[in-house]
């Protein structure tokens, strides 16, 4: 059933848009992460980035404070560390499976010790 009444659309100021674009332009930061953090759709942020490229939005007015930059750097470092730890964990799980595989322990079972008879 359709809703009656006007549709609510959020309006964002130029400063908010410029700051969001500036955040999404930082090295190692994903558009999706910035959009999620700002509670906006990633498509909207991509549209704002295009508007900045086209000169519709002036992003030079946006300034990122030192604390925001520091938190983003910390987040990137934690994500890198997590990725390394996850890879190490996966390798250790594979090594444990390999070492505990009973088929690998008995190499004599794969060799046959009997004599073969030829059928004529």
């Amino acid at each position: 059933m359709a809703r009656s009444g006007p549709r609510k659309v959020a309006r964002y100021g130029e400063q908010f848009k410029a700051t969001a674009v500036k955040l999404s332009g930082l090295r190692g930061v994903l558009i999706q992460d910035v959009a999620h953090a700002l509670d906006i759709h990633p498509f909207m942020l991509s549209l704002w980035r295009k508007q900045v490229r086209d000169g519709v939005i002036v992003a030079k007015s946006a300034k990122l404070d030192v604390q925001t930059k520091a938190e983003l750097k910390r987040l990137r470092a934690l994500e890198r560390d997590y990725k390394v730890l996850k890879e190490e964990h996966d390798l250790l799980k594979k090594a444990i499976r390999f070492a505990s595989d009973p088929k690998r322990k008995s190499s004599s079972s794969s060799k046959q010790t009997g004599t073969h008879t030829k059928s004529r």
Side-chain angles (χ1 to χ4, degrees):
M1 186 168 144
R3 282 200 270 172
S4 61
R7 194 171 134 197
K8 291 184 181 181
V9 177
R11 303 274 180 204
Y12 299 100
E14 295 293 314
Q15 183 67 28
F16 180 82
K17 292 177 184 179
T19 303
V21 169
K22 196 129 185 163
L23 282 170
S24 69
L26 292 174
R27 192 177 69 145
V29 176
L30 299 176
I31 292 174
Q32 295 157 337
D33 293 340
V34 174
H36 180 64
L38 297 175
D39 199 30
I40 58 175
H41 195 278
F43 179 77
M44 186 177 290
L45 183 54
S46 296
L47 177 68
W48 295 345
R49 288 169 56 100
K50 182 183 181 311
Q51 289 174 343
V52 166
R53 285 192 305 270
D54 295 344
V56 177
I57 298 174
V58 179
K60 291 183 181 179
S61 63
K63 293 182 180 163
L64 300 176
D65 61 355
V66 176
Q67 184 180 1
T68 303
K69 286 183 182 179
E71 283 296 315
L72 285 171
K73 285 181 182 179
R74 183 176 168 270
L75 178 63
R76 283 191 298 240
L78 287 172
E79 287 174 343
R80 276 193 309 269
D81 292 346
Y82 175 76
K83 184 179 176 183
V84 169
L85 287 172
K86 188 161 177 61
E87 289 174 0
E88 289 174 351
H89 181 257
D90 290 341
L91 285 172
L92 285 172
K93 282 178 20 182
K94 288 178 183 177
I96 290 170
R97 275 196 307 257
F98 182 80
S100 64
D101 188 4
K103 293 177 188 173
R104 302 260 181 220
K105 289 182 182 176
S106 59
S107 61
S108 63
S109 65
S110 62
K111 297 178 185 177
Q112 292 186 359
T113 57
T115 59
H116 294 324
T117 58
K118 293 184 183 179
S119 60
R120 293 185 192 202

